């Protein structure tokens, strides 16, 4: 039997430091749980001189990733550099050497997941990627294991802490978007270039991973409708409140049981600002917190909630995966759980429903010249497109000036909404704000 | 390699029906995940004639539990009859036959867990008990696996759906306790004899299981302070609201890192109505829903939320465990994860801090004769016991009648509170209501 499990870490940045710190600080706790110690045998980074404030034998630091992977003492490889390359080549090198892997790299898994899972399968090694979605909150393990007997048909996720922080601040303090972004950057909650977070791409990466685990189908990231939070204004947040809703950037996925709206074999997958009722559990999730609300056929509603990012929370998920794989190495139970929750030969290619066929209620905010008959014109065009109005809010009129007119529609198709808006916008000088509503 | 995993189920009641239904309805999904089918080979119950509305081969029904366990086709035994005996003897019979077990029996695990885990260890078989706490929500797996590298030092749990339903209804509709209980019984949310739920014992059972997994120590159930919700009145819920709090029945456990209040090697474990701030995540958990808020040294705050009871949600957790164990049988990785999260030889006996030493803020509701100087008398006695008052609420006075006086104290010890109340109550005709406050 093995006397210890050797860990080789590629990337000694924010998450890498968190992993190293936990492996050192909780070494005794981990040994008490696994039975044998997890020992860091190597850390590879381009920068091996900066002081990270962690006491360790500097001899284990290296700039040579290949040597770290090839080291016979490295039992598990941890990839924490992020991005597509060279992360992918390091991961493939580890897997083809028969070394199990733990990664937090959502972009890579969303884009090249199929190839990576197939390589891991071919070489009979495990991949842990709990840290790729929702930091320390237990969502990957819950989908791959706890809910393995469950038809999870709906996923609603607040899976980007930066976007959620920005919307929370805008909502609580009525500060405009650009100001909140600048503040989030100063506070360390947003990157210098926050576009991946605020434009929804990061959420789309994570959603693609969740769909693969829950529905057993890969999705082509380019086909997932992705809209960020950059157009949301305080006006929209305020109007939402008036109607009893909160606006959140959600990753949404649905798997049909074959009803008329979502035929058998089809799925929905989309990322966009979403109005949800104030009483829904996700509406209470504020600041940098992430949460995922799942609905399963048997289990009903489940929510997991936690810190979606950060050195130690993400590090904790990595260490949980290391322990999982260590237990597999000790019991020689590699690939005990299929990488994508479904057996490789039992996955299917489900069709992504085109966005134009989406059917839901909508929030529409028009900016109109305040002239007599304008409301009747708007309502007329909407009516012509089979869109019926549930509520209207018009206020703060300035004689002859521009005023916002806010409407909540009954259920309509995206195709009809877009066609109506296009027709209406011919007469307006400003873009119309469209926010989709999920009643949950 | 095995061609299928045979499941033998003891108990064909509410949860048993849920398990059978899921195994039948999701057979294809389960096969796609495990690689081979899970097949029900036997169901034992005293009643094998009633129609449960599930189409199955009646030949697999039996009243003979021993035959079901001994059947060589039974690979995994599921115990769903609840209670201490004969459940315990069935479980021990299965384990000593080398058959892995799945159970939802929290009372049995809380009382005889040590013996059962030791037997399972001795015979090298797995026990799954995800269904014992929080129905379908993924808490056991999260503690045993996802957070295995985590020092979880605090657990706050709404772990009894009946009590939470009653408090929610009382709070929302201002209906008195007895009426809500009767309504909950009619709606099927409370048992004919609801005492285990409303007096806190069921929560204490579940808390003991969580402590074992999170802290690695058994607890003697008799030593866990347990107080139910039977004394809570609408007056208390209303006063809590005025102060910005919600009252929830919580199971609370803390594991010290060695601060003054909770010395190294000590834990807190208690079940009682608790005032928590309205903004805390658990305050939003209403009705029959359960939720557990964990705080870990690295991961920070995590919450899991879901339906804590019911045929299908609890059944889903049982099926998740069956798949877990099936995967272990397929890869011959039995006891891959230690039953209690810690290796049997690495567990320790932590000391339960005596309740008298608890230190927290308190809500006190006195019922006093409205005479001049009464507030000063109360405050004087509290002051004599080192208890300082943070807020007072006195309203609705009737000349010469009895009035409630509500106080929130700063942090005080339970010993001092009890001594002061005893002194004060010498002069009062009604009991004083004491509710502990957790600021989270």
């Amino acid at each position: 039997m093995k006397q210890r499990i050797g860990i080789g870490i590629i990337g000694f940045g924010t998450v890498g430091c968190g992993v190293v710190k936990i492996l050192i600080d909780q070494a005794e706790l981990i040994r008490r749980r696994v039975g044998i110690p997890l020992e860091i045998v190597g850390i590879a980074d381009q920068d091996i001189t900066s002081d990270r404030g962690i006491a360790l034998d500097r001899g284990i630091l290296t700039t040579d990733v290949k040597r770290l992977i090839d080291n016979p003492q490295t039992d598990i490889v941890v990839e924490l550099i992020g991005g597509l390359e060279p992360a992918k080549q390091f991961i493939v090198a580890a897997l083809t050497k028969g070394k199990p892997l733990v990664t937090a790299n959502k972009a890579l898994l969303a884009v090249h997941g199929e190839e990576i899972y197939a390589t891991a399968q071919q070489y009979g090694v495990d991949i842990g990627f709990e840290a790729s979605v929702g930091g320390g909150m237990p969502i990957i393990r819950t989908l791959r294991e706890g809910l393995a007997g469950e038809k999870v048909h709906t996923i609603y996720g607040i899976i980007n802490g930066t976007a959620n922080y920005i919307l929370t601040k805008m909502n609580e303090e009525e500060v405009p978007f650009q100001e909140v972004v600048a503040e989030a950057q100063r506070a360390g909650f947003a990157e210098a270039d926050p576009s991946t977070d605020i434009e929804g791409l990061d959420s789309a990466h994570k959603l693609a991973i969740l769909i693969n685990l829950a529905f057993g189908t890969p999705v082509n990231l380019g086909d997932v409708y992705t809209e960020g939070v950059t157009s949301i204004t305080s006006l929209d947040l305020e109007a939402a409140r008036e109607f009893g809703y909160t606006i959140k950037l959600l990753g949404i996925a649905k798997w049909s049981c074959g009803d008329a709206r979502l035929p058998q074999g089809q799925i929905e997958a989309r990322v966009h600002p979403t109005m949800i009722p104030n009483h829904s559990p996700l509406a209470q999730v504020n600041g940098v917190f992430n949460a995922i609300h799942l609905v399963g056929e048997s289990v009903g509603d489940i929510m997991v909630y936690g810190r979606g990012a950060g050195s130690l929370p993400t590090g904790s998920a990595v260490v949980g995966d290391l322990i999982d794989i260590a237990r597999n190495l000790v019991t020689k139970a590699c690939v005990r759980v299929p990488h994508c929750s479904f057996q490789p030969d039992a996955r299917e290619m489900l069709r992504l429903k085109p966005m134009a066929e989406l059917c839901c209620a909508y929030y529409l905010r028009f900016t109109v010249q305040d002239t007599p008959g304008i409301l009747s014109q708007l309502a007329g065009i909407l009516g012509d497109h089979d869109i019926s109005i549930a509520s209207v809010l018009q206020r703060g009129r300035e004689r002859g000036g521009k005023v916002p007119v806010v409407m909540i529609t009954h259920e309509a198709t995206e195709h009809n909404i877009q066609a109506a808006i296009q027709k209406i916008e011919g007469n307006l000088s400003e873009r119309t704000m469209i926010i989709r509503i999920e009643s949950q």
Side-chain angles (χ1 to χ4, degrees), chain A:
Chain A
M1 186 170 148
K2 288 184 99 59
Q3 292 305 302
R4 62 118 186 78
I5 302 289
I7 312 291
I9 299 169
I10 308 170
F12 200 18
T14 307
V15 179
C17 284
V19 172
V20 170
K21 200 168 175 321
I22 297 170
L23 286 174
I24 294 172
D25 290 353
Q26 304 297 351
E28 173 58 14
L29 186 96
I30 293 169
R31 198 199 51 73
R32 287 177 59 203
R33 280 182 163 144
V34 180
I36 55 174
L38 267 56
E39 200 179 304
I40 304 169
V41 295
I43 304 175
D45 199 282
Q46 286 177 321
D47 168 10
I48 56 170
T49 54
S50 296
D51 181 14
R52 271 93 169 174
I54 302 173
L56 42 78
D57 169 12
R58 301 190 70 82
I60 63 170
L61 293 172
T62 176
T63 55
D64 186 347
V65 174
K66 190 173 176 306
R67 227 184 77 203
L68 177 131
I69 294 172
D70 290 348
N71 179 356
Q73 300 208 349
T74 304
D75 295 307
I76 310 177
V77 174
V78 183
E79 181 277 308
L80 297 172
I81 56 173
L84 301 188
E85 286 294 355
K88 188 183 163 205
Q89 83 184 60
F90 295 155
I91 284 180
V92 171
L95 297 175
T96 53
K97 277 258 164 197
K99 304 214 171 173
L101 180 99
V102 177
T103 178
N105 196 329
K106 58 252 176 176
L108 184 60
L109 291 177
V111 176
H112 295 299
E114 294 307 293
E115 185 186 338
I116 289 167
Y117 302 138
T119 307
Q121 185 69 29
Q122 187 187 339
Y123 289 87
V125 290
D126 285 307
I127 309 181
F129 49 94
E130 183 66 71
S132 66
V133 184
M137 78 193 196
I139 184 65
I140 302 293
R141 190 162 281 99
T142 294
L143 283 172
R144 283 213 298 197
E145 307 193 36
L147 300 180
E150 189 65 46
K151 173 147 185 177
V152 173
H153 55 72
T154 305
I155 302 172
Y156 294 113
I158 296 176
I159 42 186
N160 185 279
T162 306
N164 201 47
Y165 176 84
I166 290 169
L167 289 178
T168 303
K169 277 277 174 186
M170 284 177 70
N171 196 33
E172 285 173 356
E173 298 170 16
E174 301 189 16
V175 186
F177 182 77
Q178 286 307 338
E179 246 175 71
V180 179
V181 172
E183 194 216 298
Q185 285 169 324
R186 283 192 300 273
F189 296 142
E191 306 274 345
D193 173 7
S195 54
T196 310
D197 294 318
I198 64 180
E199 284 167 10
L201 185 60
D202 178 74
S203 296
H205 288 150
K206 293 164 179 170
L207 188 66
I209 293 171
L210 296 178
I211 288 172
N212 216 331
L213 296 181
F215 305 167
T217 185
V219 281
N220 181 0
L221 203 60
D223 297 338
V224 175
Y225 177 83
T226 304
E227 179 190 328
V229 296
T230 50
S231 309
I232 302 285
T233 65
S234 298
L235 221 55
D236 301 311
L237 291 159
E238 195 189 315
R241 274 201 303 276
E242 297 253 350
F243 289 116
Y245 289 90
T246 306
I247 300 174
K248 293 289 181 190
L249 179 64
L250 295 192
I252 300 174
K254 297 185 185 185
W255 182 16
S256 177
C257 310
D259 65 4
R261 206 178 293 169
L262 193 54
Q264 196 80 44
Q266 280 200 21
I267 62 165
E268 276 181 25
R270 46 198 167 98
V271 172
H272 53 69
T274 313
M275 274 174 53
I276 54 175
N278 281 335
H279 60 75
S280 81
L282 288 182
Q284 325 295 337
V285 177
N286 289 320
V288 294
F289 277 90
N290 280 202
I292 296 173
H293 177 178
L294 305 171
V295 195
E297 227 169 71
S298 314
V299 80
D301 298 85
I302 278 189
M303 188 173 80
V304 296
Y305 165 98
R307 286 175 195 280
S311 172
L312 290 172
T314 310
S316 178
V318 169
V319 173
D321 277 347
L322 285 172
I323 291 175
D324 203 30
I325 292 176
R327 284 166 167 170
N328 282 352
L329 291 174
V330 167
T331 53
K332 300 189 172 59
C334 297
V335 199
R336 184 183 149 272
V337 178
H339 303 103
C340 269
S341 175
F342 288 81
Q343 295 290 332
D345 58 358
R347 295 169 71 224
E348 43 185 358
M349 190 74 201
L350 298 173
R351 181 168 164 260
L352 196 59
K353 189 169 93 162
M355 193 62 182
E357 294 172 22
L358 175 67
C359 183
C360 66
Y362 287 80
Y363 161 100
L364 305 172
R365 175 171 54 77
F366 304 99
T367 307
V368 300
Q369 206 69 30
D370 188 14
T371 52
I374 183 74
L375 201 58
S376 130
Q377 276 177 43
L378 289 179
I381 297 173
L382 292 173
D384 291 345
H385 289 83
D386 255 346
I387 301 163
S388 87
I389 300 165
S391 333
V392 180
L393 191 69
Q394 188 182 349
R395 264 214 305 244
R397 46 172 58 202
E398 255 178 85
R399 183 186 285 254
K402 282 180 189 161
V403 292
V405 175
V406 172
M407 290 181 185
I408 303 276
T409 74
H410 287 292
E411 288 206 341
T413 67
E414 180 83 15
H415 172 267
N416 287 351
I417 289 282
Q418 295 293 352
I421 299 301
Q422 202 178 5
K423 181 130 192 215
I424 289 168
E425 283 190 337
N427 305 315
L428 303 180
S429 56
E430 285 186 39
R431 297 287 320 246
T432 297
M433 185 69 200
I434 304 173
I435 304 178
R436 295 163 195 91
I437 300 175
E438 288 285 324
S439 310
Q440 301 188 56

